[in-house]
Amino acid sequence: MDLFDNAVLGLATALSVKNFGYAFVGCLLGTLIGVLPGLGPLATISMLLPLTYALDPTAALIMLAGIYYGAQYGGSTTAILVNLPGESSAVVTALDGYQMARQGRAGVALATAAISSFIAGTFATVFIMALARPLAQVAFSFGPGEYLAMMVLGLILATVLSNARLVESIAMVLVGILLSTVGLDAVTADERFTFGVMKLFDGLDFVVMAMAVFGFAEIVKNLGEGEGGTKGTAKILRLMPNRRELGELAPPAARGTLLGSFLGILPGGGAALASFASYALEKRLAKRPQNFGNGEIAGVAGPEAANNAASQTSFIPLLTLGIPSNAVMALMVGAMMIHDIIPGPKVMENNPTLIWGLIASMWIGNVILVILNLPLVGLWVRLLSVPYRLLYPAIVILCCVGAYSLKNDSFEVLLCAMMLVAGYSIVQCGLPPAPLLMGFILGPMIEENLRRVLQLSRGDVTAIFSSPISVSFYLLAAGAITSMALPSLRQKREVLEE
């Protein structure tokens, strides 16, 4: 009954005229940036964070969430029609989706993606509602030692599951933690890495950091790679799948939904990992695996269900424990902090309208996306012909206005430009920027909980291992690092022997 009451509260909140409007805007923007290659939800959300100052917290989070899972829909559209994935998670969809389009089944492939995503989104919403309160209750029993261990585990898993090498990912996490210490110490008021600049006494602004490292750096990188052009778009002869095709897509969609729901919860998981894992699973289970890559409907249904489910269930650790599971969720933490909301289990008790309204808006957003996606296919494909040199200056101007509006200070724009150089250097060197953002977000929380542990234990460092739960988290973190380090060491040894 409690679950039913929460669902009713959430739907009532999400269906209000204002919140429904922002859900629609978020889904529309998400689809748009999913279609346009090179932007992605991470860069877009980081650029739009300053605009959320003017919104109430519920509307802001509903809009940003719509951008995130809306991008999964948009990325599949151009992946299928022109073999140009707009989102990293849509790379797998392009393998069979574009081949289906070349065979005259572009409409069927688009409908398969939409149906699978809707099924996954509906299940993921119920999954979040069912798990949110129990996990929040568990979190109430955690002390500073358990929170410290859990955050360390989250950072380790995020680095282990990233695409970069382990040493590089860990190094970027440490850089992010170091940058988070800039400013006045919260306890002693001592200056830390300010170099005497008074404007740095409040520390580096999260929004400036995100916009520069992910937004501006990505724009400069795309401009350096030249302008993209569209390929010949496939004709849509038939939109809806027939009964046989519905039977073929249902099992992969169900398996992708379950797999994506689980992988989305894991730190570092996310939509891209879920789509690749689903494709590998479907190919392994297929009676004719050689057909994959030649227009197999399971190669579209499974990954599309998985990436949409993962994009939504990645909110679970954020809403219940206050721990971001990936870089986009780290931005959502920043959005909550902008509105003076500290993420974690207390949010569900203190502000249930915000949490349940956000969860309910995910299902509403999936309905909006199904209605939006198929009729506007022609418009999305035409957008691909807009030259980057015309599109990106407008984005840069809006970002500069947003950076200035943070404190009505031109120093924020200058700081953004300086961080752009650092962000672009990171990208050009092949280093992963996402772990840096995770370290920057979790750094203050790790420092705060470490201080509490040491204060309660009167400086006894071994106190961080005093709880069985903490020890379990540290053992899991050590196991994750070892599992990634051993293959690397083995490969280096083999190279030396040769």
Side-chain angles (χ1 to χ4, degrees), residues 3 30 57 63 92 109 130 132 201 208 234-235 256 320 322 340 431:
L3 179 62
M63 184 182 73
V92 179
F201 282 6
V208 171
K235 293 183 179 179
T320 59
D340 296 324
L431 298 172

Side-chain angles (χ1 to χ4, degrees), residues 63 83 100 106 136 194 215 242 277 284 291 332 431 453 457 475 477-478:
M63 184 182 73
N83 198 26
M100 288 179 68
T194 61
N242 56 36
R284 183 177 292 274
N291 289 354
M332 298 297 287
L431 298 172
V453 172
S457 65
L475 288 175

Side-chain angles (χ1 to χ4, degrees), residues 106-417:
V108 175
L110 289 169
T112 297
I115 292 170
S116 301
S117 296
F118 180 74
I119 292 171
T122 301
F123 177 84
T125 303
V126 176
F127 189 63
I128 295 172
M129 285 187 169
L131 282 184
R133 189 168 290 279
L135 281 177
Q137 293 300 323
V138 171
F140 275 121
S141 64
F142 283 13
E146 287 82 6
Y147 266 110
L148 173 65
M150 185 171 58
M151 290 173 190
V152 171
L153 174 62
L155 283 178
I156 294 298
L157 288 178
T159 58
V160 166
L161 295 175
S162 69
N163 295 326
R165 286 179 294 185
L166 183 62
V167 175
E168 293 176 350
S169 297
I170 293 176
M172 295 307 293
V173 165
L174 295 176
V175 171
I177 293 175
L178 182 66
L179 290 173
S180 72
T181 63
V182 173
L184 296 181
D185 186 285
V187 177
T188 64
D190 290 333
E191 292 183 37
R192 300 192 298 189
F193 306 111
T194 61
F195 303 102
V197 180
M198 289 187 62
K199 292 183 182 294
L200 290 178
F201 282 6
D202 291 333
L204 299 175
D205 195 284
F206 167 78
V207 177
V208 171
M209 166 80 72
M211 280 198 303
V213 174
F214 290 99
F216 288 167
E218 195 68 27
I219 288 173
V220 175
K221 179 187 172 217
N222 288 326
L223 288 174
E225 292 175 353
E227 298 181 6
T230 57
K231 304 177 184 180
T233 56
K235 293 183 179 179
I236 300 176
L237 304 177
R238 175 168 62 93
L239 187 60
M240 293 305 297
N242 56 36
R243 184 176 298 179
R244 178 183 61 82
E245 290 165 333
L246 285 172
E248 290 178 354
L249 73 86
R255 287 190 290 266
T257 298
L258 293 174
L259 182 62
S261 297
F262 172 72
L263 291 177
I265 300 175
L266 296 177
L273 176 64
S275 62
F276 277 95
S278 175
Y279 191 84
L281 176 64
E282 293 307 320
K283 193 171 182 179
R284 183 177 292 274
L285 296 176
K287 295 179 180 178
R288 297 180 298 275
Q290 64 275 12
N291 289 354
F292 277 73
N294 297 310
E296 187 71 21
I297 197 168
V300 176
E304 280 300 303
N307 70 38
N308 196 267
S311 68
Q312 291 187 210
T313 58
S314 59
F315 281 84
I316 290 178
L318 169 67
L319 298 178
T320 59
L321 304 173
I323 304 296
S325 58
N326 54 50
V328 175
M329 291 303 104
L331 289 175
M332 298 297 287
V333 171
M336 295 176 77
M337 289 181 171
I338 284 174
H339 293 278
D340 296 324
I341 297 174
I342 300 175
K346 289 186 178 179
V347 177
M348 196 163 290
E349 298 293 330
N350 299 336
N351 202 341
T353 303
L354 168 70
I355 298 300
W356 297 110
L358 173 62
I359 294 172
S361 75
M362 295 178 186
W363 183 80
I364 294 170
N366 276 277
V367 176
I368 293 172
L369 285 166
V370 170
I371 297 172
L372 270 180
N373 232 28
L374 298 179
L376 297 180
V377 164
L379 173 63
W380 302 134
V381 175
R382 287 193 199 97
L383 281 173
L384 291 170
S385 61
V386 177
Y388 283 176
R389 67 176 186 273
L390 300 180
L391 181 65
Y392 286 142
I395 297 174
V396 170
I397 291 172
L398 288 175
C399 286
C400 289
V401 172
Y404 178 81
S405 65
L406 292 173
K407 299 176 182 176
N408 290 329
D409 190 350
S410 58
F411 179 77
E412 299 299 312
V413 180
L414 177 62
L415 197 59
C416 211

Side-chain angles (χ1 to χ4, degrees), residues 29-45 66-80 82-95 163 214 218 222 269-276 303-304 307-308 310-311 326-328 384 388:
L29 285 174
T31 305
L32 173 62
I33 61 103
V35 166
L36 294 171
L39 274 179
L42 194 61
T44 304
I45 292 175
I67 291 172
Y68 181 38
Y69 54 77
Q72 315 307 322
Y73 273 82
S76 66
T77 300
T78 48
I80 291 169
V82 294
N83 198 26
L84 192 63
E87 243 294 286
S88 58
S89 60
V91 171
V92 179
T93 305
L95 298 177
N163 295 326
F214 290 99
E218 195 68 27
N222 288 326
L273 176 64
S275 62
F276 277 95
E304 280 300 303
N307 70 38
N308 196 267
S311 68
N326 54 50
V328 175
L384 291 170
Y388 283 176

